[in-house]
Amino acid sequence: MDLRRTGRVLAAGALGAALALSPTAAQAVPAAPPDVAASRMADGTAHGAVAWFRQHAGDASYEGYCETAVERAYGTSEVWPSANAHWQAALDTGAAHPGDRNPPPGAFVFWNSGEWGHVGVADGAGGFHSTSIGGAIGHAAGLDHFAGYLGWSDPAVPART
């Protein structure tokens, strides 16, 4: 492991330990791209999250940063270190709906897609908005667009103190 990767792992691990809803084994992820400004976050509502994704359709700057994108769509950032950590926190707090294929608008939808997982925001009509759709933020008509669907969690982000 090179020194840059080691530094990112240590920094992400420290961040994960500090989060109130982080799971016991937070996963290290690289920092968000520097050109993604916090001012590009939305209003914190389910409706606002869906609107945020529609407004950012085609934006490739979030590739590899699905958790960052869904958090920004909810008007926050750095709540969970990865999509897998977000899913685990939802399971731990009873906010998860494993295997349920009917997420309401704005719900977080999750896939088991490797080390960090994948997350998007449900459109309420059977589809979702996410990164990595044609190489950018986009919309998919069905939850089977990605393999390994896990389920959804309540469309809310906890308050940070």
Side-chain angles (χ1 to χ4, degrees):
M1 183 180 314
D2 69 29
L3 291 178
R4 288 176 291 169
R5 174 92 172 125
T6 301
R8 285 191 302 234
V9 169
L10 292 173
L15 171 65
L19 298 175
L21 289 179
S22 67
T24 57
Q27 297 165 326
V29 294
D35 61 322
V36 180
S39 63
R40 294 170 60 187
M41 294 189 280
D43 68 1
T45 67
H47 176 77
V50 172
W52 185 93
F53 269 98
R54 286 182 181 145
Q55 292 167 357
H56 289 84
D59 183 345
S61 69
Y62 287 91
E63 279 306 285
Y65 303 98
C66 60
E67 182 62 38
T68 299
V70 299
E71 289 185 26
R72 297 260 167 93
Y74 265 94
T76 192
S77 65
E78 300 179 359
V79 177
W80 298 281
S82 69
N84 281 344
H86 187 168
W87 176 246
Q88 187 61 53
L91 289 168
D92 292 348
T93 61
H97 303 268
D100 188 326
R101 301 186 68 77
N102 297 299
F108 297 104
V109 288
F110 298 90
W111 291 264
N112 181 12
S113 63
E115 185 177 357
W116 297 309
H118 191 73
V119 62
V121 171
D123 64 10
F128 66 97
H129 301 275
S130 182
T131 62
S132 302
I133 298 179
I137 288 176
H139 179 264
L143 298 172
D144 292 327
H145 182 81
F146 298 120
Y149 178 70
L150 294 170
W152 61 273
S153 72
D154 298 339
V157 174
R160 298 284 310 268
T161 56

